[in-house]
Amino acid sequence: MAVQFSVAVRNARLDAFETTVGASAAMKIFTGSPPANCASADSGTVLATLNLPSDWMAAASGGSKSLSGSWQDLSADATGTAGYFRVYATGGTVCGMQGTVSAAGGGGDMIVNSTAFTAGQSFTVNTFTLTDANA
């Protein structure tokens, strides 16, 4: 039998993630494939930089946690095709999470309307959900 956690434990783990990353988190979207892990250096070109709201994730419920507030970049940094994202802790240098980016049906960790970015365009993340494992 696999290890299982209660919903309360899963919710606590998710809420601890947001607390650890901090209230001034930022998300960057890059071209290319994600690095091997969060400790590895950034790779690719930064396409968009989003300064997340101070309460950037809703309280965990049912073992899931969704975005809160507006996640947007009013002017994309560069032109290219999105491949992955990173969320940085307060200060913007410590990676707290990374994942792949794709359009609907592409199987990415974060789904966007289009992975094609043009410098200067506005970009908004409409939905984003983390689900804790071991249910």
Side-chain angles (χ1 to χ4, degrees):
M1 179 171 143
V3 172
Q4 294 180 326
F5 294 118
S6 70
V7 171
V9 168
R10 293 169 52 219
N11 287 343
R13 289 178 8 162
L14 288 166
D15 287 336
F17 165 72
E18 182 181 13
T19 299
T20 300
V21 172
S24 297
M27 174 185 278
K28 292 183 181 180
I29 299 174
F30 296 86
T31 60
S33 298
N37 56 52
C38 274
S40 298
D42 297 343
S43 62
T45 300
V46 176
L47 297 175
T49 302
L50 296 79
N51 292 314
L52 303 180
S54 62
D55 186 15
W56 51 281
M57 298 287 290
S61 177
S64 294
K65 191 169 182 72
S66 298
L67 70 78
S68 178
S70 179
W71 292 20
Q72 64 182 3
D73 182 354
L74 297 177
S75 181
D77 303 328
T79 298
T81 302
Y84 76 99
F85 71 91
R86 282 185 150 185
V87 173
Y88 296 88
T90 300
T93 59
V94 177
C95 175
M97 172 177 57
Q98 69 179 20
T100 57
V101 176
S102 73
D109 300 306
M110 183 172 71
I111 307 302
V112 296
N113 289 338
S114 173
T115 57
F117 280 68
T118 301
Q121 83 177 51
S122 177
F123 174 77
T124 302
V125 177
N126 295 314
T127 58
F128 183 79
T129 303
L130 295 176
T131 302
D132 193 67
N134 301 95

